[in-house]
Amino acid sequence: MLPSAFDYHAPATLEEALALLVEHGDEAKLLSGGQSLVPLLKLRFAAPAHIIDIGRIPDLSYIREEGGFLRIGALVREVELERSELIAKRYPILKDTASVIADPLVRNRGTVAGNLAHGDPANDHPATMIALGAEVVARGPGGERSIPVAEFFQGLLTTALADDEILTEVRIPAPVEGSGGAYLKLERKVGDYATAGAACWIVLAGDGSIASARIGLTNLASTPVNATAAAAHLVGRKPTDETLDKTGELAAAATSPGKDRRGSVEYKQEMARVLTIRALKKALARAQGDVRSRP
Ligand code: FAD
């Protein structure tokens, strides 16, 4: 099907884009890489009267460490995460994630910001950003605000972004000594959305126990799952098989998947359990500096 007719705008600055958003209100939709929006337009699940293409705005395509954060600009595409040496070395969980999203064609165009702003629990970055304790920066007519990712996903395809806000940056706390994370995804075939996915982040204390942890899960509820009880179970404990097994059980208990072509509820919950344990083991190896665990 062809999209319904719309006016196309290509603002040259963020200010211009914001002014267009304010002018056209809920009749406007931002376009970034187009990898989620264009399919929706073609199916006519979305029919905005105005498309505001932010893809030509300069200075939004950066990956840099600054002020204690990794900062990812709004126009950074998946392929850039995949190929970045900084990401491979310091944030391997992001490389795990970007490299299992869709296929190279989608990754050449799709942006990290768009992946989050779309609010799809089947997308892979949300779980990873929950595990990383990320925040997103939103710019609106009234200025800029920062939103913790844990509060960002409010419902199916619904985020905390207001209609007149643009997600300009993703901020991830720089890794501390003894920390490590990993993302694992089960897919029916390469390029598919997740049947289930688990992102785990841990920080080890000097005695080898776990000082802090976060766990995010993909496509296992109507929003990305922040498995807080599972993560809390790790804190203060040594990462023994018993601890990891219990954490996997708690992670699965935090999910509420639906039955579909990817599997039954029971199957998906079992995959949540298994993937959580495996991702934790990989995160642990990375936190301990095991070079074989690097992507
Ligand atoms: P767009 O499609 O341009 O926009 C998506 C939504 O976000 C729109 O509502 C838009 O208005 C809004 N938006 C975009 N940027 C901003 C911004 N800066 N501020 C505010 N709002 C914004 N994703 C996965 O995670 N895993 C997969 O396995 C996967 N498989 C896919 C397979 C196929 C065949 C396709 C076509 C897509 C797949 N996707 C998958 C989805 C895709 O990776 C992302 O959702 C997509 O790339 C979103 O980023 P984008 O830049 O393309 O956003």
Side-chain angles (χ1 to χ4, degrees), residues 33-36 39 77-79 82 94-112 115 118 120 122-126 183 185-196 218-219 262:
Q35 298 306 301
S36 286
R77 302 182 195 280
E78 304 297 349
V79 64
E82 251 186 304
L94 281 175
K95 182 162 179 165
D96 294 344
T97 310
S99 55
V100 293
I101 289 175
D103 51 49
L105 293 179
V106 172
R107 299 201 290 269
N108 281 342
R109 298 294 309 159
T111 63
V112 181
N115 193 289
H118 191 49
D120 187 342
N123 277 1
D124 293 290
H125 276 301
Y183 181 65
K185 166 182 181 176
L186 174 71
E187 53 195 352
R188 292 174 302 178
K189 60 182 176 65
V190 171
D192 193 19
Y193 286 94
T195 300
T218 301
N219 215 5
R262 292 189 176 84

Side-chain angles (χ1 to χ4, degrees), residues 2-253:
L2 291 173
S4 57
F6 54 79
D7 287 343
Y8 174 82
H9 308 265
T13 63
L14 261 181
E15 290 66 32
E16 228 181 281
L18 285 170
L20 284 163
L21 269 183
V22 171
E23 183 184 346
H24 299 295
D26 60 9
E27 296 208 322
K29 203 82 185 128
L30 291 172
L31 174 74
S32 191
Q35 298 306 301
S36 286
L37 185 59
V38 171
L40 288 181
L41 296 176
K42 286 175 125 182
L43 291 165
R44 298 208 178 184
F45 290 149
H50 299 269
I51 292 282
I52 303 169
D53 183 351
I54 57 173
R56 293 163 200 227
I57 299 177
D59 305 327
L60 285 178
S61 189
Y62 53 86
I63 303 174
R64 61 173 176 251
E65 284 183 308
E66 192 182 280
F69 290 96
L70 173 72
R71 294 165 188 257
I72 301 175
L75 292 181
V76 170
R77 302 182 195 280
E78 304 297 349
V79 64
E80 294 170 64
L81 279 193
E82 251 186 304
R83 292 184 184 167
S84 158
E85 278 181 31
L86 170 68
I87 297 298
K89 197 168 153 215
R90 300 255 298 157
Y91 305 87
I93 185 175
L94 281 175
K95 182 162 179 165
D96 294 344
T97 310
S99 55
V100 293
I101 289 175
D103 51 49
L105 293 179
V106 172
R107 299 201 290 269
N108 281 342
R109 298 294 309 159
T111 63
V112 181
N115 193 289
L116 296 171
H118 191 49
D120 187 342
N123 277 1
D124 293 290
H125 276 301
T128 292
M129 295 301 174
I130 287 171
L132 284 167
E135 52 191 67
V136 302
V137 178
R139 176 94 69 91
E144 201 172 88
R145 67 184 178 123
S146 164
I147 310 165
V149 159
E151 296 163 20
F152 187 66
F153 303 104
Q154 301 194 333
L156 188 65
L157 305 183
T158 307
T159 71
L161 281 177
D163 284 346
D164 58 2
E165 282 182 319
I166 299 177
L167 196 172
T168 54
E169 185 177 271
V170 182
R171 282 184 195 157
I172 294 165
V176 295
E177 185 71 25
S179 63
Y183 181 65
L184 291 178
K185 166 182 181 176
L186 174 71
E187 53 195 352
R188 292 174 302 178
K189 60 182 176 65
V190 171
D192 193 19
Y193 286 94
T195 300
C200 297
W201 180 259
I202 57 165
V203 181
L204 292 175
D207 66 355
S209 64
I210 296 173
S212 64
R214 281 184 296 266
I215 299 174
L217 302 168
T218 301
N219 215 5
L220 289 159
S222 59
T223 55
V225 176
N226 186 359
T228 51
H233 181 73
L234 290 166
V235 177
R237 290 190 164 85
K238 293 267 168 72
T240 60
D241 284 349
E242 193 186 358
T243 300
L244 300 193
D245 284 349
K246 182 66 185 170
T247 306
E249 278 173 31
L250 289 168

